[in-house]
mmCIF file of all heavy atoms in Angstrom:
data_model
loop_
_atom_site.group_PDB
_atom_site.id
_atom_site.type_symbol
_atom_site.label_atom_id
_atom_site.label_comp_id
_atom_site.label_asym_id
_atom_site.label_seq_id
_atom_site.Cartn_x
_atom_site.Cartn_y
_atom_site.Cartn_z
ATOM 1 N N ALA Y 1 24.145 -5.482 -39.905
ATOM 2 C CA ALA Y 1 22.721 -5.733 -39.866
ATOM 3 C C ALA Y 1 21.978 -4.449 -39.414
ATOM 4 O O ALA Y 1 20.924 -4.109 -39.919
ATOM 5 C CB ALA Y 1 22.371 -6.875 -38.880
ATOM 6 N N ARG Y 2 22.506 -3.768 -38.512
ATOM 7 C CA ARG Y 2 21.958 -2.413 -38.027
ATOM 8 C C ARG Y 2 21.924 -1.442 -39.152
ATOM 9 O O ARG Y 2 20.923 -0.772 -39.386
ATOM 10 C CB ARG Y 2 22.762 -1.929 -36.861
ATOM 11 C CG ARG Y 2 22.190 -0.666 -36.201
ATOM 12 C CD ARG Y 2 23.054 -0.269 -35.032
ATOM 13 N NE ARG Y 2 22.769 1.071 -34.624
ATOM 14 C CZ ARG Y 2 22.143 1.359 -33.549
ATOM 15 N NH1 ARG Y 2 21.678 0.429 -32.719
ATOM 16 N NH2 ARG Y 2 21.856 2.590 -33.176
ATOM 17 N N GLU Y 3 22.953 -1.311 -39.944
ATOM 18 C CA GLU Y 3 23.016 -0.424 -41.085
ATOM 19 C C GLU Y 3 22.001 -0.850 -42.091
ATOM 20 O O GLU Y 3 21.359 -0.007 -42.704
ATOM 21 C CB GLU Y 3 24.369 -0.393 -41.734
ATOM 22 C CG GLU Y 3 25.447 0.344 -40.860
ATOM 23 C CD GLU Y 3 25.020 1.828 -40.502
ATOM 24 O OE1 GLU Y 3 24.610 2.489 -41.366
ATOM 25 O OE2 GLU Y 3 25.052 2.055 -39.207
ATOM 26 N N LEU Y 4 21.810 -2.155 -42.274
ATOM 27 C CA LEU Y 4 20.797 -2.648 -43.190
ATOM 28 C C LEU Y 4 19.387 -2.198 -42.766
ATOM 29 O O LEU Y 4 18.602 -1.729 -43.551
ATOM 30 C CB LEU Y 4 20.891 -4.209 -43.266
ATOM 31 C CG LEU Y 4 19.964 -4.907 -44.296
ATOM 32 C CD1 LEU Y 4 20.658 -6.152 -44.762
ATOM 33 C CD2 LEU Y 4 18.619 -5.210 -43.692
ATOM 34 N N VAL Y 5 19.105 -2.385 -41.491
ATOM 35 C CA VAL Y 5 17.798 -1.912 -40.950
ATOM 36 C C VAL Y 5 17.604 -0.447 -41.143
ATOM 37 O O VAL Y 5 16.473 -0.045 -41.598
ATOM 38 C CB VAL Y 5 17.622 -2.366 -39.370
ATOM 39 C CG1 VAL Y 5 16.410 -1.808 -38.820
ATOM 40 C CG2 VAL Y 5 17.732 -3.835 -39.308
ATOM 41 N N LEU Y 6 18.580 0.323 -40.859
ATOM 42 C CA LEU Y 6 18.471 1.780 -40.988
ATOM 43 C C LEU Y 6 18.245 2.077 -42.503
ATOM 44 O O LEU Y 6 17.498 3.058 -42.858
ATOM 45 C CB LEU Y 6 19.707 2.487 -40.418
ATOM 46 C CG LEU Y 6 19.819 2.365 -38.946
ATOM 47 C CD1 LEU Y 6 21.164 2.934 -38.497
ATOM 48 C CD2 LEU Y 6 18.668 3.106 -38.198
ATOM 49 N N GLY Y 7 18.966 1.377 -43.358
ATOM 50 C CA GLY Y 7 18.857 1.611 -44.768
ATOM 51 C C GLY Y 7 17.366 1.213 -45.270
ATOM 52 O O GLY Y 7 16.843 1.902 -46.102
ATOM 53 N N TYR Y 8 16.827 0.179 -44.715
ATOM 54 C CA TYR Y 8 15.470 -0.270 -45.096
ATOM 55 C C TYR Y 8 14.522 0.867 -44.672
ATOM 56 O O TYR Y 8 13.651 1.282 -45.449
ATOM 57 C CB TYR Y 8 15.077 -1.599 -44.392
ATOM 58 C CG TYR Y 8 13.663 -1.970 -44.628
ATOM 59 C CD1 TYR Y 8 13.359 -2.781 -45.687
ATOM 60 C CD2 TYR Y 8 12.631 -1.610 -43.743
ATOM 61 C CE1 TYR Y 8 12.003 -3.145 -45.902
ATOM 62 C CE2 TYR Y 8 11.342 -1.912 -43.974
ATOM 63 C CZ TYR Y 8 11.012 -2.679 -45.056
ATOM 64 O OH TYR Y 8 9.718 -3.027 -45.268
ATOM 65 N N VAL Y 9 14.633 1.368 -43.466
ATOM 66 C CA VAL Y 9 13.730 2.439 -42.972
ATOM 67 C C VAL Y 9 13.858 3.700 -43.868
ATOM 68 O O VAL Y 9 12.845 4.233 -44.261
ATOM 69 C CB VAL Y 9 14.022 2.789 -41.510
ATOM 70 C CG1 VAL Y 9 13.259 3.988 -41.092
ATOM 71 C CG2 VAL Y 9 13.612 1.632 -40.657
ATOM 72 N N ASP Y 10 15.068 4.058 -44.252
ATOM 73 C CA ASP Y 10 15.282 5.188 -45.178
ATOM 74 C C ASP Y 10 14.645 4.907 -46.531
ATOM 75 O O ASP Y 10 13.969 5.824 -47.150
ATOM 76 C CB ASP Y 10 16.736 5.487 -45.377
ATOM 77 C CG ASP Y 10 17.315 6.147 -44.185
ATOM 78 O OD1 ASP Y 10 16.619 6.637 -43.271
ATOM 79 O OD2 ASP Y 10 18.600 6.128 -44.108
ATOM 80 N N ALA Y 11 14.808 3.706 -47.069
ATOM 81 C CA ALA Y 11 14.218 3.347 -48.339
ATOM 82 C C ALA Y 11 12.683 3.330 -48.216
ATOM 83 O O ALA Y 11 12.046 3.766 -49.147
ATOM 84 C CB ALA Y 11 14.749 1.961 -48.805
ATOM 85 N N LEU Y 12 12.160 2.829 -47.204
ATOM 86 C CA LEU Y 12 10.681 2.852 -46.971
ATOM 87 C C LEU Y 12 10.179 4.310 -46.990
ATOM 88 O O LEU Y 12 9.168 4.601 -47.585
ATOM 89 C CB LEU Y 12 10.317 2.108 -45.702
ATOM 90 C CG LEU Y 12 8.838 1.968 -45.367
ATOM 91 C CD1 LEU Y 12 8.127 1.226 -46.491
ATOM 92 C CD2 LEU Y 12 8.676 1.238 -44.067
ATOM 93 N N ASN Y 13 10.925 5.178 -46.296
ATOM 94 C CA ASN Y 13 10.447 6.615 -46.296
ATOM 95 C C ASN Y 13 10.546 7.259 -47.656
ATOM 96 O O ASN Y 13 9.687 8.024 -48.049
ATOM 97 C CB ASN Y 13 11.342 7.396 -45.296
ATOM 98 C CG ASN Y 13 11.010 7.049 -43.887
ATOM 99 O OD1 ASN Y 13 9.891 6.690 -43.575
ATOM 100 N ND2 ASN Y 13 11.976 7.227 -42.971
ATOM 101 N N ALA Y 14 11.604 6.811 -48.421
ATOM 102 C CA ALA Y 14 11.744 7.371 -49.823
ATOM 103 C C ALA Y 14 10.636 6.832 -50.707
ATOM 104 O O ALA Y 14 10.064 7.551 -51.532
ATOM 105 C CB ALA Y 14 13.097 6.900 -50.390
ATOM 106 N N VAL Y 15 10.184 5.586 -50.550
ATOM 107 C CA VAL Y 15 9.114 4.999 -51.269
ATOM 108 C C VAL Y 15 7.762 5.796 -50.952
ATOM 109 O O VAL Y 15 7.036 6.255 -51.829
ATOM 110 C CB VAL Y 15 8.879 3.517 -50.965
ATOM 111 C CG1 VAL Y 15 7.562 3.050 -51.449
ATOM 112 C CG2 VAL Y 15 10.045 2.761 -51.613
ATOM 113 N N ASP Y 16 7.599 6.079 -49.672
ATOM 114 C CA ASP Y 16 6.370 6.762 -49.171
ATOM 115 C C ASP Y 16 6.346 8.150 -49.807
ATOM 116 O O ASP Y 16 5.319 8.584 -50.379
ATOM 117 C CB ASP Y 16 6.447 6.820 -47.659
ATOM 118 C CG ASP Y 16 5.175 7.555 -47.084
ATOM 119 O OD1 ASP Y 16 4.063 7.189 -47.455
ATOM 120 O OD2 ASP Y 16 5.401 8.498 -46.347
ATOM 121 N N GLU Y 17 7.411 8.866 -49.754
ATOM 122 C CA GLU Y 17 7.528 10.225 -50.419
ATOM 123 C C GLU Y 17 7.262 10.193 -51.924
ATOM 124 O O GLU Y 17 6.503 11.035 -52.355
ATOM 125 C CB GLU Y 17 8.891 10.858 -50.106
ATOM 126 C CG GLU Y 17 9.057 11.250 -48.673
ATOM 127 C CD GLU Y 17 10.521 11.796 -48.391
ATOM 128 O OE1 GLU Y 17 11.116 12.325 -49.399
ATOM 129 O OE2 GLU Y 17 10.918 11.809 -47.266
ATOM 130 N N ALA Y 18 7.863 9.229 -52.591
ATOM 131 C CA ALA Y 18 7.656 9.133 -54.039
ATOM 132 C C ALA Y 18 6.241 8.768 -54.393
ATOM 133 O O ALA Y 18 5.671 9.404 -55.337
ATOM 134 C CB ALA Y 18 8.642 8.129 -54.641
ATOM 135 N N MET Y 19 5.603 7.869 -53.701
ATOM 136 C CA MET Y 19 4.238 7.522 -54.007
ATOM 137 C C MET Y 19 3.269 8.639 -53.682
ATOM 138 O O MET Y 19 2.399 8.900 -54.462
ATOM 139 C CB MET Y 19 3.916 6.318 -53.156
ATOM 140 C CG MET Y 19 4.601 5.021 -53.592
ATOM 141 S SD MET Y 19 4.272 4.508 -55.317
ATOM 142 C CE MET Y 19 2.591 3.830 -55.098
ATOM 143 N N ARG Y 20 3.462 9.345 -52.563
ATOM 144 C CA ARG Y 20 2.558 10.406 -52.254
ATOM 145 C C ARG Y 20 2.781 11.641 -53.125
ATOM 146 O O ARG Y 20 1.802 12.301 -53.440
ATOM 147 C CB ARG Y 20 2.724 10.830 -50.727
ATOM 148 C CG ARG Y 20 2.146 9.597 -49.900
ATOM 149 C CD ARG Y 20 1.909 9.964 -48.425
ATOM 150 N NE ARG Y 20 3.089 10.364 -47.756
ATOM 151 C CZ ARG Y 20 3.130 11.329 -46.859
ATOM 152 N NH1 ARG Y 20 2.037 11.926 -46.550
ATOM 153 N NH2 ARG Y 20 4.212 11.678 -46.226
ATOM 154 N N ALA Y 21 3.928 11.789 -53.663
ATOM 155 C CA ALA Y 21 4.186 12.821 -54.585
ATOM 156 C C ALA Y 21 3.563 12.566 -55.936
ATOM 157 O O ALA Y 21 2.956 13.453 -56.681
ATOM 158 C CB ALA Y 21 5.722 13.145 -54.852
ATOM 159 N N ALA Y 22 3.542 11.274 -56.385
ATOM 160 C CA ALA Y 22 3.015 10.815 -57.636
ATOM 161 C C ALA Y 22 1.461 10.747 -57.627
ATOM 162 O O ALA Y 22 0.793 10.877 -58.627
ATOM 163 C CB ALA Y 22 3.624 9.592 -58.058
ATOM 164 N N ILE Y 23 0.950 10.416 -56.475
ATOM 165 C CA ILE Y 23 -0.485 10.147 -56.325
ATOM 166 C C ILE Y 23 -1.013 11.022 -55.169
ATOM 167 O O ILE Y 23 -0.972 10.678 -53.964
ATOM 168 C CB ILE Y 23 -0.865 8.664 -56.003
ATOM 169 C CG1 ILE Y 23 -0.152 7.781 -57.034
ATOM 170 C CG2 ILE Y 23 -2.315 8.424 -55.923
ATOM 171 C CD1 ILE Y 23 -0.236 6.304 -56.683
ATOM 172 N N PRO Y 24 -1.362 12.268 -55.484
ATOM 173 C CA PRO Y 24 -1.748 13.220 -54.406
ATOM 174 C C PRO Y 24 -2.904 12.770 -53.503
ATOM 175 O O PRO Y 24 -2.908 13.222 -52.360
ATOM 176 C CB PRO Y 24 -2.253 14.460 -55.210
ATOM 177 C CG PRO Y 24 -1.497 14.303 -56.566
ATOM 178 C CD PRO Y 24 -1.422 12.863 -56.816
ATOM 179 N N SER Y 25 -3.741 11.897 -53.893
ATOM 180 C CA SER Y 25 -4.791 11.449 -53.062
ATOM 181 C C SER Y 25 -4.383 10.446 -51.985
ATOM 182 O O SER Y 25 -5.061 10.127 -51.043
ATOM 183 C CB SER Y 25 -5.966 10.764 -53.861
ATOM 184 O OG SER Y 25 -5.478 9.657 -54.493
ATOM 185 N N LEU Y 26 -3.126 10.082 -52.035
ATOM 186 C CA LEU Y 26 -2.553 9.075 -51.087
ATOM 187 C C LEU Y 26 -2.167 9.829 -49.796
ATOM 188 O O LEU Y 26 -1.304 10.656 -49.809
ATOM 189 C CB LEU Y 26 -1.260 8.435 -51.686
ATOM 190 C CG LEU Y 26 -0.898 7.116 -51.398
ATOM 191 C CD1 LEU Y 26 -1.953 6.118 -51.925
ATOM 192 C CD2 LEU Y 26 0.436 6.751 -52.020
ATOM 193 N N GLU Y 27 -2.852 9.514 -48.725
ATOM 194 C CA GLU Y 27 -2.548 10.144 -47.419
ATOM 195 C C GLU Y 27 -1.469 9.394 -46.705
ATOM 196 O O GLU Y 27 -0.736 9.972 -45.923
ATOM 197 C CB GLU Y 27 -3.860 10.239 -46.619
ATOM 198 C CG GLU Y 27 -4.849 11.250 -47.103
ATOM 199 C CD GLU Y 27 -5.989 11.371 -46.212
ATOM 200 O OE1 GLU Y 27 -5.897 11.174 -45.009
ATOM 201 O OE2 GLU Y 27 -7.075 11.754 -46.758
ATOM 202 N N ARG Y 28 -1.439 8.035 -46.953
ATOM 203 C CA ARG Y 28 -0.349 7.205 -46.399
ATOM 204 C C ARG Y 28 -0.165 6.117 -47.298
ATOM 205 O O ARG Y 28 -1.029 5.771 -48.117
ATOM 206 C CB ARG Y 28 -0.803 6.733 -44.991
ATOM 207 C CG ARG Y 28 -2.121 5.954 -44.981
ATOM 208 C CD ARG Y 28 -2.616 5.572 -43.640
ATOM 209 N NE ARG Y 28 -3.865 4.885 -43.823
ATOM 210 C CZ ARG Y 28 -4.546 4.252 -42.878
ATOM 211 N NH1 ARG Y 28 -4.117 4.290 -41.660
ATOM 212 N NH2 ARG Y 28 -5.660 3.639 -43.128
ATOM 213 N N LEU Y 29 0.950 5.441 -47.156
ATOM 214 C CA LEU Y 29 1.342 4.422 -48.137
ATOM 215 C C LEU Y 29 0.308 3.262 -48.169
ATOM 216 O O LEU Y 29 0.062 2.745 -49.255
ATOM 217 C CB LEU Y 29 2.713 3.870 -47.755
ATOM 218 C CG LEU Y 29 3.492 3.061 -48.837
ATOM 219 C CD1 LEU Y 29 3.643 3.827 -50.141
ATOM 220 C CD2 LEU Y 29 4.884 2.690 -48.285
ATOM 221 N N ALA Y 30 -0.313 2.887 -47.083
ATOM 222 C CA ALA Y 30 -1.272 1.827 -47.022
ATOM 223 C C ALA Y 30 -2.459 2.102 -47.973
ATOM 224 O O ALA Y 30 -3.153 1.150 -48.365
ATOM 225 C CB ALA Y 30 -1.696 1.539 -45.606
ATOM 226 N N ASP Y 31 -2.759 3.320 -48.247
ATOM 227 C CA ASP Y 31 -3.869 3.674 -49.142
ATOM 228 C C ASP Y 31 -3.650 3.055 -50.514
ATOM 229 O O ASP Y 31 -4.697 3.001 -51.286
ATOM 230 C CB ASP Y 31 -4.043 5.130 -49.224
ATOM 231 C CG ASP Y 31 -4.522 5.792 -47.877
ATOM 232 O OD1 ASP Y 31 -4.997 5.055 -46.981
ATOM 233 O OD2 ASP Y 31 -4.314 6.979 -47.731
ATOM 234 N N VAL Y 32 -2.444 2.666 -50.863
ATOM 235 C CA VAL Y 32 -2.323 1.972 -52.138
ATOM 236 C C VAL Y 32 -3.233 0.768 -52.260
ATOM 237 O O VAL Y 32 -3.787 0.532 -53.333
ATOM 238 C CB VAL Y 32 -0.820 1.560 -52.299
ATOM 239 C CG1 VAL Y 32 -0.657 0.621 -53.491
ATOM 240 C CG2 VAL Y 32 0.073 2.771 -52.470
ATOM 241 N N LEU Y 33 -3.351 -0.020 -51.232
ATOM 242 C CA LEU Y 33 -4.209 -1.175 -51.197
ATOM 243 C C LEU Y 33 -5.656 -0.802 -51.603
ATOM 244 O O LEU Y 33 -6.274 -1.451 -52.392
ATOM 245 C CB LEU Y 33 -4.201 -1.810 -49.852
ATOM 246 C CG LEU Y 33 -2.888 -2.418 -49.378
ATOM 247 C CD1 LEU Y 33 -3.065 -3.081 -48.028
ATOM 248 C CD2 LEU Y 33 -2.300 -3.429 -50.385
ATOM 249 N N GLY Y 34 -6.153 0.282 -51.004
ATOM 250 C CA GLY Y 34 -7.504 0.745 -51.271
ATOM 251 C C GLY Y 34 -7.720 1.170 -52.687
ATOM 252 O O GLY Y 34 -8.698 0.936 -53.350
ATOM 253 N N LEU Y 35 -6.697 1.853 -53.207
ATOM 254 C CA LEU Y 35 -6.734 2.358 -54.577
ATOM 255 C C LEU Y 35 -6.803 1.247 -55.555
ATOM 256 O O LEU Y 35 -7.427 1.328 -56.657
ATOM 257 C CB LEU Y 35 -5.569 3.328 -54.911
ATOM 258 C CG LEU Y 35 -5.487 4.612 -54.157
ATOM 259 C CD1 LEU Y 35 -4.228 5.344 -54.451
ATOM 260 C CD2 LEU Y 35 -6.731 5.424 -54.427
ATOM 261 N N VAL Y 36 -6.128 0.180 -55.262
ATOM 262 C CA VAL Y 36 -6.097 -0.975 -56.100
ATOM 263 C C VAL Y 36 -7.378 -1.781 -55.976
ATOM 264 O O VAL Y 36 -8.041 -2.159 -56.964
ATOM 265 C CB VAL Y 36 -4.874 -1.898 -55.784
ATOM 266 C CG1 VAL Y 36 -5.059 -3.236 -56.512
ATOM 267 C CG2 VAL Y 36 -3.629 -1.179 -56.273
ATOM 268 N N ARG Y 37 -7.823 -2.052 -54.704
ATOM 269 C CA ARG Y 37 -8.958 -2.989 -54.509
ATOM 270 C C ARG Y 37 -10.321 -2.360 -54.689
ATOM 271 O O ARG Y 37 -11.253 -2.941 -55.238
ATOM 272 C CB ARG Y 37 -8.836 -3.552 -53.098
ATOM 273 C CG ARG Y 37 -7.614 -4.450 -52.948
ATOM 274 C CD ARG Y 37 -7.531 -5.000 -51.556
ATOM 275 N NE ARG Y 37 -6.377 -5.847 -51.466
ATOM 276 C CZ ARG Y 37 -5.639 -6.035 -50.399
ATOM 277 N NH1 ARG Y 37 -5.969 -5.418 -49.298
ATOM 278 N NH2 ARG Y 37 -4.610 -6.822 -50.462
ATOM 279 N N SER Y 38 -10.507 -1.138 -54.225
ATOM 280 C CA SER Y 38 -11.825 -0.541 -54.218
ATOM 281 C C SER Y 38 -12.094 0.266 -55.448
ATOM 282 O O SER Y 38 -13.091 0.025 -56.141
ATOM 283 C CB SER Y 38 -12.064 0.385 -52.947
ATOM 284 O OG SER Y 38 -11.874 -0.478 -51.793
ATOM 285 N N ARG Y 39 -11.369 1.246 -55.662
ATOM 286 C CA ARG Y 39 -11.646 2.247 -56.642
ATOM 287 C C ARG Y 39 -11.013 1.953 -58.008
ATOM 288 O O ARG Y 39 -11.333 2.531 -59.017
ATOM 289 C CB ARG Y 39 -11.161 3.618 -56.190
ATOM 290 C CG ARG Y 39 -11.972 4.022 -54.869
ATOM 291 C CD ARG Y 39 -11.523 5.377 -54.507
ATOM 292 N NE ARG Y 39 -11.550 5.307 -52.975
ATOM 293 C CZ ARG Y 39 -10.504 5.521 -52.089
ATOM 294 N NH1 ARG Y 39 -9.373 5.875 -52.608
ATOM 295 N NH2 ARG Y 39 -10.714 5.454 -50.844
ATOM 296 N N ARG Y 40 -10.095 0.969 -58.089
ATOM 297 C CA ARG Y 40 -9.423 0.635 -59.243
ATOM 298 C C ARG Y 40 -8.740 1.824 -59.944
ATOM 299 O O ARG Y 40 -8.682 2.025 -61.157
ATOM 300 C CB ARG Y 40 -10.359 -0.002 -60.260
ATOM 301 C CG ARG Y 40 -11.046 -1.217 -59.675
ATOM 302 C CD ARG Y 40 -10.176 -2.419 -59.740
ATOM 303 N NE ARG Y 40 -10.837 -3.583 -59.277
ATOM 304 C CZ ARG Y 40 -10.321 -4.543 -58.563
ATOM 305 N NH1 ARG Y 40 -9.043 -4.518 -58.267
ATOM 306 N NH2 ARG Y 40 -11.043 -5.611 -58.204
ATOM 307 N N ILE Y 41 -8.229 2.754 -59.003
ATOM 308 C CA ILE Y 41 -7.590 3.901 -59.594
ATOM 309 C C ILE Y 41 -6.225 3.604 -60.181
ATOM 310 O O ILE Y 41 -5.828 4.253 -61.125
ATOM 311 C CB ILE Y 41 -7.489 5.064 -58.478
ATOM 312 C CG1 ILE Y 41 -8.928 5.514 -58.194
ATOM 313 C CG2 ILE Y 41 -6.620 6.227 -58.903
ATOM 314 C CD1 ILE Y 41 -9.075 6.465 -57.003
#
């Protein structure tokens, strides 16, 4: 379970890096919500 938790944290960090590399205007992962809801980017 501990390895699973550590793996989740690593996977979450990898998602964050991939999203911010693909969408330069993303300052943090949570900004995805705003891009979808407000600006429809």
Side-chain angles (χ1 to χ4, degrees):
R2 184 180 165 104
E3 290 303 312
L4 184 151
V5 171
L6 294 171
Y8 175 90
V9 171
D10 286 345
L12 183 59
N13 287 334
V15 165
D16 181 53
E17 288 177 24
M19 293 296 288
R20 291 193 300 140
I23 307 170
S25 64
L26 214 63
E27 291 183 26
R28 58 187 181 174
L29 198 53
D31 293 342
V32 167
L33 297 179
L35 294 177
V36 167
R37 293 181 180 149
S38 300
R39 300 180 213 120
R40 305 281 184 216
I41 293 174

